[in-house]
């Protein structure tokens, strides 16, 4: 019942794209991934994540349970949220967005002015780069239909000067930062090269799944940068500034920095890189049982997905059925794997996604993962345990 309601809501949300909605409803794989079949039960994972520790519980909120996943779009009230400073409550009537810095014509927009500009939507799976970096953090990922106006024409309208190479996105939220005893109150900020910022995919988004952005997800406006980790998708946006140097704020250059040991001709070198584009990933979401027959359903995201494979315990990799019908290149893909007659006892279930370029979601002992000393960008194969 509840499940059926969820699906209805999902399809209602897609109402404007009626054709897509119909395609989804008629799609056998999606239909079999989510609805509860008569008599079907969801088996809870044996390896339940521990609670979010107090030190992180103000930053990471509203983590759903994988077992509750029953729709392709994540309903707003089940979407995780991350805030490194405060969660500002913004009055849209007094708010405005400024476009400043190395531009010939600085711009300022009220919310209703932005809403009058061309509307564009994208279904995009947004994942925190810290997701799966800790045992308590397995569901920092969700998919929504975001609506806004494209960023590139706004930068064009502002006329970026030739020496402008970097675009910095400032949020309204702020906190104190200390670097070498220097204390400063800083707004949350992330930057992109001008070329990356001009991607036609980037949106200044004001809607999430058909509703105004919820306060915790960035009301009234956020950047949506499809294909990038969550951190790039600046919420509570208030200023876009074009600069002639790389921006080295906390969330570009100190935090959300991956530190990895790599090998070059037998020598170890240390590489530090700013978290940016998403990486190929998958995870099993739920195991269900109907009439004694089992099924594993999961999601794959982070890159255009070509294949998903599943391994039970120490067995071989077996292809899962994957649903590509959504036609949404930045959205996660549901997959399912029939597991008719598992032996009693505890089992380990591992999935791996392979993207269109042939990148394989790495095993935990892959040098990309094993040489990494920070928890960001943890796209290693996820192992879950279930008791039959
Ligand atoms: N202004 C601002 N934007 C932000 C953040 C923040 O703390 N402040 N957190 C980022 C991080 S780390 C993530 S993972 C995503 C999470 O988006 P959500 O809260 O809508 O799920 O927002 C990003 N945008
Ligand atoms: Mo994040």
């Amino acid at each position: 019942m509840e499940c059926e309601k969820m699906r209805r809501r999902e399809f209602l949300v897609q109402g404007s794209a009626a054709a897509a909605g119909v395609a989804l409803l008629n799609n056998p794989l999606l239909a079999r991934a989510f609805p509860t079949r008569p008599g079907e039960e969801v088996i809870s994972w044996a390896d339940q994540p521990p609670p979010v520790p107090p030190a992180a519980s103000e930053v990471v909120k509203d983590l759903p349970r994988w077992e509750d996943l029953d729709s392709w779009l994540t309903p707003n009230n089940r979407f995780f949220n991350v805030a490194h400073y405060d969660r500002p409550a913004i009055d849209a009537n007094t708010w405005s967005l400024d476009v400043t810095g190395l531009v010939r014509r600085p711009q300022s927009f009220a919310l209703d002015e932005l809403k009058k500009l061309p509307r564009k939507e994208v279904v995009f799976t947004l994942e925190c780069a810290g997701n799966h970096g800790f045992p308590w953090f397995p569901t920092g990922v969700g998919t929504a239909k975001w609506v806004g106006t494209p960023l590139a024409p706004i930068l064009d309208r502002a006329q970026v000067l030739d020496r402008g190479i970097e675009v910095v996105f400032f949020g309204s939220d702020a906190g104190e930062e200390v670097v070498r005893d220097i204390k400063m109150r800083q707004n949350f900020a992330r930057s992109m090269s001008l070329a990356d910022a001009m991607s036609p995919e980037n949106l200044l988004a004001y809607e999430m799944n058909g509703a105004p952005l919820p306060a915790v997800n960035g009301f009234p406006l956020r950047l949506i940068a499809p294909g990038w980790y969550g951190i790039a998708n600046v919420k509570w946006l208030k200023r876009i500034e074009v600069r002639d140097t790389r921006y080295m704020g906390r969330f570009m250059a100190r935090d959300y920095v991956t530190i990895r040991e790599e090998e070059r001709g037998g020598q170890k070198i240390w590489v530090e890189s700013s978290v940016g584009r998403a990486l190929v990933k998958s995870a099993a979401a739920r195991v269900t049982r109907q009439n004694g027959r089992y099924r594993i359903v999961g999601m794959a995201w982070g890159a255009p997905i070509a294949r998903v494979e599943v391994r039970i315990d120490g067995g071989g990799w077996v292809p899962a059925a994957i649903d590509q019908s959504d036609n949404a290149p930045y959205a996660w893909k549901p997959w399912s794997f029939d597991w008719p007659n598992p032996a009693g006892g505890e089992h380990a279930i591992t999935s791996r996604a392979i993207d269109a370029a042939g990148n394989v979601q790495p095993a935990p002992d892959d040098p990309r993962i094993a040489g990494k000393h920070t928890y960001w960008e943890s796209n290693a194969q996820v192992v879950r345990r279930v008791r039959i």
Side-chain angles (χ1 to χ4, degrees):
M1 273 291 281
E2 192 50 36
C3 202
E4 192 51 37
K5 253 189 245 158
M6 280 310 180
R7 288 179 58 225
R8 273 177 204 287
R9 189 179 313 171
E10 171 188 327
F11 296 125
L12 285 178
V13 154
Q14 301 193 342
S16 61
V22 169
L24 280 171
L25 271 172
N26 292 339
N27 183 277
L29 265 179
L30 266 179
R32 76 177 226 173
F34 297 123
T36 302
R37 298 168 295 167
E40 184 173 49
E41 315 161 61
V42 177
I43 320 253
S44 291
W45 294 109
D47 54 352
Q48 287 297 318
V52 181
S57 63
E58 280 305 304
V59 176
V60 179
K61 286 193 189 284
D62 302 328
L63 291 177
R65 278 165 33 105
W66 268 123
E67 286 94 330
D68 293 338
L69 180 104
D70 60 5
S71 60
W72 179 58
L73 295 179
T74 311
N76 291 358
N77 62 5
R78 288 205 209 165
F79 212 98
F80 79 101
N81 66 85
V82 175
H84 289 282
Y85 298 134
D86 53 319
R87 285 175 173 74
I90 295 174
D91 177 356
N93 295 316
T94 53
W95 171 92
S96 63
L97 172 73
D98 293 330
V99 183
T100 66
L102 297 176
V103 295
R104 204 161 285 119
R105 297 183 188 284
Q107 307 280 315
S108 183
F109 298 92
L111 185 59
D112 47 352
E113 290 172 323
L114 288 168
K115 286 185 175 172
K116 282 184 202 132
L117 297 175
R119 264 171 82 87
K120 191 178 171 193
E121 67 176 57
V122 63
V123 179
F124 164 48
T125 297
L126 186 148
E127 184 185 26
C128 177
N131 193 37
H132 288 107
F134 302 97
W136 53 264
F137 198 10
T139 50
V141 56
T143 299
K145 185 174 86 175
W146 311 93
V147 172
T149 195
L151 170 65
I154 294 205
L155 291 171
D156 281 339
R157 193 194 279 213
Q159 300 183 15
V160 174
L161 299 177
D162 283 348
R163 64 182 200 279
I165 57 164
E166 183 89 341
V167 183
V168 193
F169 301 88
F170 289 91
S172 307
D173 49 332
E176 185 179 83
E177 295 294 343
V178 182
V179 177
R180 293 207 166 208
D181 295 339
I182 300 161
K183 289 189 182 165
M184 54 199 150
R185 191 172 160 78
Q186 288 242 326
N187 285 93
F188 180 95
R190 274 279 303 195
S191 69
M192 280 183 177
S193 69
L194 179 63
D196 285 339
M198 288 297 290
S199 161
E201 310 294 340
N202 294 336
L203 297 185
L204 298 177
Y206 43 77
E207 267 180 38
M208 178 176 179
N209 289 330
L213 275 181
V216 293
N217 303 104
F219 181 86
L221 192 76
R222 78 181 299 173
L223 178 65
I224 284 295
W228 292 69
Y229 271 118
I231 187 74
N233 296 260
V234 178
K235 303 191 282 188
W236 309 298
L237 203 56
K238 76 160 191 187
R239 193 169 78 254
I240 299 176
E241 193 173 301
V242 179
R243 302 179 57 90
D244 60 1
T245 59
R246 303 310 307 271
Y247 177 77
M248 293 291 171
R250 168 175 162 194
F251 299 100
M252 292 303 292
R254 300 196 297 286
D255 210 348
Y256 285 83
V257 168
T258 290
I259 303 177
R260 193 184 268 118
E261 277 183 275
E262 295 181 1
E263 214 173 276
R264 300 279 190 282
Q267 302 257 54
K268 288 256 192 245
I269 61 161
W270 287 81
V271 178
E272 295 164 84
S273 55
S274 186
V275 168
R277 287 177 203 281
L279 298 176
V280 64
K281 192 160 171 185
S282 68
R286 61 207 304 229
V287 176
T288 60
R289 173 175 55 214
Q290 188 202 30
N291 299 330
R293 296 171 71 80
Y294 291 75
R295 176 176 289 167
I296 306 163
V297 167
M299 289 294 187
W301 64 92
I305 302 297
R307 296 196 322 273
V308 175
E309 296 171 341
V310 173
R311 181 167 71 188
I312 309 287
D313 302 318
W317 291 105
V318 181
I322 170 164
D323 189 316
Q324 300 276 14
S325 63
D326 57 41
N327 246 326
Y330 297 101
W332 59 12
K333 302 297 168 225
W335 54 265
S336 79
F337 183 89
D338 284 328
W339 187 28
N341 273 310
E346 195 167 297
H347 295 279
I349 295 170
T350 311
S351 68
R352 69 175 183 192
I354 296 110
D355 73 13
N359 298 303
V360 180
Q361 184 182 357
D365 62 357
D366 185 290
R368 296 277 306 161
I369 299 295
K372 194 160 68 69
H373 289 251
T374 45
Y375 53 84
W376 312 115
E377 303 183 89
S378 292
N379 73 320
Q381 293 160 16
V382 176
V383 183
R384 296 303 310 261
R385 305 198 68 85
V386 68
R387 220 167 280 122
I388 300 298

